[in-house]
Amino acid sequence: NREALFEYDLVIFGEIAPDLFASHELQWLRDFVEIRGGGLIFVDGQRGALKQLSDENLGSLLPVEWSSAPIAARPSSLQLTEKGAATSALRLVAEDAPNRRFWTKLPAPHSLIAVEPLPGSEVLVEANINGQPHPAIVWHRFGAGKVLYLSFDETWRWRFGRGEHYFQQ
């Protein structure tokens, strides 16, 4: 119910079809962010479920819009933007320069959803594809809350050779 939802601080919304929710449940999620000030993380992937979101349900919360041209090549690396480097949640190493280098060494996702940040949104992490940056992690404020969007669902790769330490952060 709405009251139970509002006890949380963060909801992670993966590739789940919006028609699995009643319209009032989607409104609760919107209110959770906009009114309650909660956080919402959208994790996108190859199934295209998040593309089914519309402005009538949760689509207006997204900090991105989908690009018409899909990304055909595999990303070679990730890199923090200036805003991303200044974001404490993305500081996996204490010092700035080593943290930026660390992000370039993380295993890049094998695929990336082609998106463009909406006005007022900020790209925190970019994926390097053939020398060109593409938005990988984007956020914005929505009402009293915040929304984060990941254009890939492969953060589990970050555990390879590093164990759980950085993945859990």
Side-chain angles (χ1 to χ4, degrees):
N1 65 36
R2 188 175 191 269
E3 292 74 31
L5 173 63
F6 276 41
E7 291 180 19
Y8 290 91
D9 294 320
L10 175 68
V11 172
I12 300 174
F13 196 99
E15 278 208 285
I16 185 165
D19 62 356
L20 294 175
F21 293 91
S23 61
H24 67 274
E25 292 171 324
L26 294 169
Q27 184 61 49
W28 293 344
L29 284 169
R30 182 186 175 91
D31 292 347
F32 170 76
V33 176
E34 186 174 20
I35 297 168
R36 154 69 173 77
L40 182 59
I41 298 175
F42 286 106
V43 181
D44 211 347
Q46 297 302 306
R47 292 178 195 90
L50 293 184
K51 287 182 182 178
Q52 297 174 30
L53 294 174
S54 67
D55 285 346
E56 289 77 44
N57 49 49
L58 298 180
S60 61
L61 275 70
L62 287 163
V64 298
E65 63 184 4
W66 282 269
S67 299
S68 57
I71 296 174
R74 181 176 166 181
S76 60
S77 64
L78 297 172
Q79 61 193 23
L80 292 172
T81 62
E82 290 301 317
K83 179 64 177 177
T87 302
S88 61
L90 300 179
R91 187 159 300 266
L92 301 177
V93 177
E95 299 297 321
D96 183 56
N99 187 54
R100 287 174 185 261
R101 279 192 301 276
F102 181 83
W103 274 88
T104 66
K105 304 290 186 226
L106 285 171
H110 286 184
S111 61
L112 194 73
I113 305 302
V115 295
E116 294 296 328
L118 291 173
S121 300
E122 297 188 63
V123 177
L124 302 177
V125 176
E126 296 172 325
N128 182 354
I129 301 174
N130 297 327
Q132 296 297 314
H134 293 269
I137 301 177
V138 182
W139 86 281
H140 74 162
R141 292 190 181 279
F142 188 88
K146 297 177 184 175
V147 178
L148 185 78
Y149 170 84
L150 281 76
S151 64
F152 60 97
D153 59 359
E154 301 175 56
T155 59
W156 59 270
R157 294 185 186 285
W158 299 350
R159 294 173 19 196
F160 182 73
R162 293 176 173 87
E164 296 292 322
H165 178 72
Y166 296 109
F167 181 75
Q168 292 298 330
Q169 282 184 300

